[in-house]
Amino acid sequence: AQLQVDAIVTTYGMVVQIGVIVVGPQAFLTDPLTGAWQKLDPASLPLNFVNLPKTLAGIVGAIQSPSYIGIEQLDGVPSLRVQGSIVSQELIGLIPAAGQGLPVGIQVWIGSEDHLVHQVQLEGPVRLEEPQRLVRILRFHGFDQPVEIVLPQ
């Protein structure tokens, strides 16, 4: 598996940029303070991006009481917005440390023409120690475009 992620995280009012690279059994994560790359075990990453299409399909299929909100433009793509709820253990494929039995609000934006998941928003704790007002937003773009991944030194 090959993956490169550039994440912008807002935590306690601070914006932090984090990079992740996974190539086969190697994983690297940037230190949010210094920006230096650190090598680590892929299993220790907070999100599991391996087999992401299947994981996202499972999450969408597990949404409870889904309701159609409407069509919105997301990065120039007309997208169907659906909201509902999901139980935290249904997210374990994406968030390996997910707890059991926590209700999580979920919104999903699915391209009306390409039928791909372009954004997922999770509202509430997925693990017991997380705050109630936690919001995770995962955006996906550049589908089927070649990407050159350069391993950190």
Side-chain angles (χ1 to χ4, degrees):
Q2 293 188 2
L3 171 75
Q4 182 169 343
V5 175
D6 295 312
I8 299 172
V9 179
T10 304
T11 180
Y12 299 106
M14 295 181 357
V15 176
V16 179
Q17 291 187 303
I18 299 173
V20 176
I21 293 177
V22 178
V23 176
Q26 299 182 82
F28 301 87
L29 178 72
T30 56
D31 181 307
L33 299 177
T34 66
W37 288 99
Q38 300 175 339
K39 190 172 184 178
L40 65 149
D41 180 354
S44 67
L45 291 171
L47 295 174
N48 178 13
F49 295 105
V50 176
N51 204 3
L52 192 56
K54 183 176 179 182
T55 299
L56 290 175
I59 290 171
V60 169
I63 294 175
Q64 300 170 3
S65 303
S67 60
Y68 172 71
I69 303 302
I71 294 182
E72 299 177 4
Q73 291 289 321
L74 188 66
D75 294 330
V77 176
S79 300
L80 305 170
R81 181 175 167 198
V82 176
Q83 74 177 18
S85 63
I86 194 166
V87 183
S88 55
Q89 65 264 23
E90 297 290 346
L91 299 167
I92 204 159
L94 179 65
I95 304 171
Q100 297 286 315
L102 299 171
V104 178
I106 185 168
Q107 296 184 61
V108 180
W109 287 257
I110 301 170
S112 61
E113 296 171 6
D114 62 15
H115 308 289
L116 297 171
V117 174
H118 287 263
Q119 180 169 299
V120 175
Q121 181 170 315
L122 302 172
E123 302 157 355
V126 174
R127 301 179 320 172
L128 287 173
E129 64 275 7
E130 293 178 337
Q132 288 294 317
R133 294 181 14 207
L134 179 65
V135 176
R136 292 174 171 90
I137 299 173
L138 306 171
R139 295 185 97 171
F140 307 99
H141 58 88
F143 298 99
D144 297 326
Q145 293 181 1
V147 175
E148 181 181 343
I149 298 175
V150 178
L151 291 178
Q153 298 299 322

